[in-house]
Amino acid sequence: MTELVGPTAADLWCDRCGESAAAGPHQACAAARALEPPRYCAHCRRRMKVQVLPVGWSAVCVEHGEIRG
């Protein structure tokens, strides 16, 4: 698996709510993402396994790998 570094222009899905990224600006999602980790893979819309630690977080998509923050 490869490690993802963050959202890219190819992202099709909102990583917080899982809805289409083209459906709107997702302003509430962007505000929430400042405080919490992503819940959905922005590439395939799968629900990710998220672990929150005192020093950060990690989110793992079974298809696309891990994101850390």
Side-chain angles (χ1 to χ4, degrees), residues 4-28:
L4 299 175
V5 293
T8 66
D11 293 342
L12 301 173
W13 309 102
C14 175
D15 64 358
R16 180 172 181 267
C17 68
E19 297 300 319
S20 173
H26 292 271
Q27 293 173 348

